[in-house]
Each structure stands twice: as C-alpha cells, then as structure tokens.
Amino acid sequence: MPCLAPIHRRAVLAVSGSDATQFLNGLLATSVHGNPSYSAFLHAQGRVLHDVFLFTSPSPTYLIDHDPFPSESPPLLSLLKRFVLRAKVRIRDVTPEWDVWAAWGERPQLHHRSWHWAASGAVEPVWHDLPWGTEHGVLLDRRAPGMGRRLLVRKGDKPQEASTHDVLSPDAYILHRIMHGVPEGSADIQPMHAFPIESNLDVMGGLDFRKGCYVGQELTVRTYHTGMIRKRILPVALSTTSASASPPLHLAIKPSVIPSPGTSTPRLRGTSTLLTSIASPSGSPGTAVGLALLRLEHLRPDIALCTDEADGARWKVEPWWPDWWPKQPSSENTVDSVD
C-alpha cells in the first residue's frame, strides 16, 4: 500500500519577481531553470547553510521548503534579503499558507541516470531527463531511489492522495529516509559545520560542479577536483544493553580496534557523529536506526564503533551502505543505473 506522511518542522519562503530566477541561480549550488529542484545555500567558505527544496507555482514564483530550526546559520529569510540589492524580487515568509507532505510506495516510473566519479571520491548523477519533475507544487524526490514525491499542500488540507494511500505519522517519513540513507535539515546537515560532499549532496543531486559562479563554489569545486572525501553520512543500526528508546542528537562515535591474538592494538584518530535516530521498526528495546557522519577510514571489519555514554547508555553503531549507492567502476569514471 502506498504511504503518505506530513513532514514537520518545515518553513516555506516565496521568491517572486522578474529577477527571481537569476537571483536564485546566483546563490544556489545548482542551476535554476524554472523547474523544481533540490539544492543548497552555501557559506562563502563552502560549508552548508541550508539544504532546500525548490518548488514552482502557477504564478512566476518559487517556493523554498527548508528547515527553520534555529542554528548558527542566519535564518534563510534574512540571508536572502542581504543579497537583494537592486534585484527585482520579493521575498516573503508563506509558512502559514503551506504544509509539506511526502508520498512513497507508489508504482515507480523508471528513470535513467549515469554516475560520474571524481578522483576525490565525489560522485554526481548525470540526469537523462528533468530529474525533479515539472509539476507545480510537486517535486519528484530523486535524492535516492524509492524516496517518492514531495508535496506542497495548502495549510490544513490533506493531499488528494489521502484517499488512496495509508496516512502515517511524521516519524514514518523520518524512518523512511533513514532507511534510504537520506540526510535532511539541520539535524543531519549541520549549518556552518557540514561540508556539502561529506553530507552526500553530490550523490543526492544537490550540487552542480559545472555551474558558473555561486556563493561557496570555489572551495566546493576545488574539493571535487583535488581534494579527498574522508567522511560520508550513512545509515546505522544502533543497539544498547539499556532500555533507552533512542540516543540523543550529535553524540560522538569513537572507534576501537577489535584485538587479534599476537598483534598490538593501534590507537585510532578522529571521531564520527551520530545524527538523526529513531526507535527501531522492530520495536525491540534498546535498538534504533539512524544516520551518522562517519570517517571512511573507520569502516573496516576490524574496527568497532560505539557512542559516548549518554543518559546511562552507550550505543553500538553498525553502519551499512544503502543498496542504491553507486559502485565505483575500476577503470571508467561513469556508470549507468536505473531507478
């Protein structure tokens, strides 16, 4: 049965005016051409300020769906107003007018894409169609296969899909994206701290490495061509001997070498970070699933990962790569896939 769930803690800004497309194109990390898209606003030093979903509406207006939770980043409304200058744009907070929903589990349409790998470990989708759709108020969620669609619905209304889908809780959407390995919002992509490629914005289609000038471009493109990706956000299984439902946000994850007879135990450097988590769908006490920003050098069979203690519990962390994650080819730097 297809599913439908509201997405809580979202705000919506409207950007309209004759210069709206040009204005947003100069700020977002992907090209803006009048269609829906997924993208991000970056800091001048290349860190993420806001990951966003760009919707279109029948009038010449863009609707920006974003996480408004207070953080070290300036609120998106004030951030955008700094750049208006003489541009013919109008920016308004229209959150009281809209709700955000997600629909998934519908009969999938096949979409073709290629994956282009850089020597740094960055990977980007090469689309063979308009990836995010063309319908007003609807975005095809191509961040990962199976994510479904994202919908803007008038405040207080339910989507028309409510008559044909199971209507679930907001936690169901959180679980859905965790199981697909999809980070979202300030809890997972920490404003002013997160780098876009480490946060999977490249593989999710939220970066354009061939686009012209935009804020944060220089460091992002330099990392793509000459850097080395040392961290990724991955889904993790969590377990503890305590009866805790789920661990708190942003716990440090520390590695330890599983000792082998007759060998010395080296000291490992660096830590990882636990992000969003939720009680395991199995309902077993002391189990959860979540997302974590992990150091790739710690993803070895002989290394165990465990969080710092919090609320009397220490959590064992077992990451996995999502089954949709592209496999890097041995000789070519491009590989095709269907989702």
Side-chain angles (χ1 to χ4, degrees), residues 77 106 150 159 169 173 200 211 228 231 245 264 267 285 323:
L77 180 61
E106 301 154 322
R150 200 173 182 98
S169 71
Y173 171 73
N200 302 352
K211 181 187 171 184
M228 179 62 65
K231 297 179 182 179
S264 60
R267 182 180 178 184
D323 57 8

Side-chain angles (χ1 to χ4, degrees), residues 23-45:
F23 173 74
L24 290 173
N25 192 60
L27 297 174
L28 284 167
T30 55
S31 297
V32 179
H33 296 301
N35 292 311
S37 63
Y38 168 68
S39 191
F41 294 97
L42 305 182
H43 188 270
Q45 277 70 50

Side-chain angles (χ1 to χ4, degrees), residues 34-98:
N35 292 311
S37 63
Y38 168 68
S39 191
F41 294 97
L42 305 182
H43 188 270
Q45 277 70 50
R47 296 178 188 262
V48 179
L49 296 176
H50 298 273
D51 63 310
V52 300
F53 299 85
L54 194 66
F55 291 83
T56 58
S57 69
S59 60
T61 300
Y62 293 96
L63 299 171
I64 304 175
D65 159 23
H66 69 287
D67 180 356
F69 193 76
S71 68
E72 294 181 35
S73 170
L76 185 55
L77 180 61
S78 61
L79 177 70
L80 293 181
K81 285 186 173 181
R82 293 181 191 175
F83 293 96
V84 170
L85 301 178
R86 296 184 179 180
K88 295 178 181 179
V89 296
R90 182 187 180 198
I91 306 170
R92 298 175 294 125
D93 183 356
V94 293
T95 304
E97 301 175 24
W98 298 100

Side-chain angles (χ1 to χ4, degrees), residues 155-206:
K155 180 70 71 175
D157 292 345
K158 283 187 176 180
Q160 61 182 10
E161 290 83 356
S163 61
T164 57
H165 292 49
D166 279 342
V167 181
L168 306 178
S169 71
D171 281 353
Y173 171 73
I174 296 173
L175 177 62
H176 174 62
R177 66 177 183 81
I178 286 175
M179 299 306 290
H180 283 77
V182 172
E184 179 178 306
S186 60
D188 296 331
I189 305 173
Q190 294 179 261
M192 299 292 291
H193 293 276
F195 286 104
I197 301 176
E198 291 182 348
S199 300
N200 302 352
L201 265 69
D202 57 337
V203 73
M204 295 193 299

Side-chain angles (χ1 to χ4, degrees), residues 15-315:
V15 180
S16 58
S18 58
D19 292 341
T21 298
Q22 180 181 356
F23 173 74
L24 290 173
N25 192 60
L27 297 174
L28 284 167
T30 55
S31 297
V32 179
H33 296 301
N35 292 311
S37 63
Y38 168 68
S39 191
F41 294 97
L42 305 182
H43 188 270
Q45 277 70 50
R47 296 178 188 262
V48 179
L49 296 176
H50 298 273
D51 63 310
V52 300
F53 299 85
L54 194 66
F55 291 83
T56 58
S57 69
S59 60
T61 300
Y62 293 96
L63 299 171
I64 304 175
D65 159 23
H66 69 287
D67 180 356
F69 193 76
S71 68
E72 294 181 35
S73 170
L76 185 55
L77 180 61
S78 61
L79 177 70
L80 293 181
K81 285 186 173 181
R82 293 181 191 175
F83 293 96
V84 170
L85 301 178
R86 296 184 179 180
K88 295 178 181 179
V89 296
R90 182 187 180 198
I91 306 170
R92 298 175 294 125
D93 183 356
V94 293
T95 304
E97 301 175 24
W98 298 100
D99 287 326
V100 183
W101 290 71
W104 67 92
E106 301 154 322
R107 184 174 181 178
Q109 295 180 342
L110 294 181
H111 298 280
H112 293 266
R113 75 176 96 184
S114 301
W115 299 100
H116 185 87
W117 288 81
S120 61
V123 58
E124 56 181 322
V126 181
W127 309 108
H128 302 293
D129 54 12
L130 291 172
W132 312 101
T134 58
E135 188 177 349
H136 295 315
V138 178
L139 182 141
L140 302 180
D141 195 343
R142 301 284 299 281
R143 291 176 295 171
M147 281 301 294
R149 296 179 299 140
R150 200 173 182 98
L151 314 170
L152 279 185
V153 180
R154 286 292 178 182
K155 180 70 71 175
D157 292 345
K158 283 187 176 180
Q160 61 182 10
E161 290 83 356
S163 61
T164 57
H165 292 49
D166 279 342
V167 181
L168 306 178
S169 71
D171 281 353
Y173 171 73
I174 296 173
L175 177 62
H176 174 62
R177 66 177 183 81
I178 286 175
M179 299 306 290
H180 283 77
V182 172
E184 179 178 306
S186 60
D188 296 331
I189 305 173
Q190 294 179 261
M192 299 292 291
H193 293 276
F195 286 104
I197 301 176
E198 291 182 348
S199 300
N200 302 352
L201 265 69
D202 57 337
V203 73
M204 295 193 299
L207 297 174
D208 185 345
F209 297 106
R210 289 157 186 79
K211 181 187 171 184
C213 184
Y214 60 89
V215 177
Q217 179 205 27
E218 182 178 354
L219 183 59
T220 302
V221 173
R222 187 190 311 149
T223 301
Y224 175 84
H225 288 291
T226 64
M228 179 62 65
I229 308 308
R230 302 187 186 279
K231 297 179 182 179
R232 283 290 189 181
I233 294 179
L234 294 177
V236 295
L238 304 164
S239 57
T240 182
T241 55
S242 153
S244 300
S246 61
L249 193 63
H250 298 155
L251 268 182
I253 300 172
K254 295 182 178 176
S256 60
V257 175
I258 301 171
S260 300
T263 61
S264 60
T265 303
R267 182 180 178 184
L268 299 173
R269 300 177 61 185
T271 61
S272 300
T273 305
L274 184 63
L275 307 172
T276 294
S277 63
I278 195 169
S280 172
S282 69
S284 302
T287 62
V289 292
L291 297 171
L293 178 64
L294 298 168
R295 297 184 68 92
L296 297 179
E297 65 190 274
H298 294 164
L299 302 183
R300 296 177 0 208
D302 62 335
I303 292 180
L305 299 173
C306 191
T307 69
D308 282 344
E309 186 172 336
D311 301 325
R314 194 183 299 274
W315 294 80

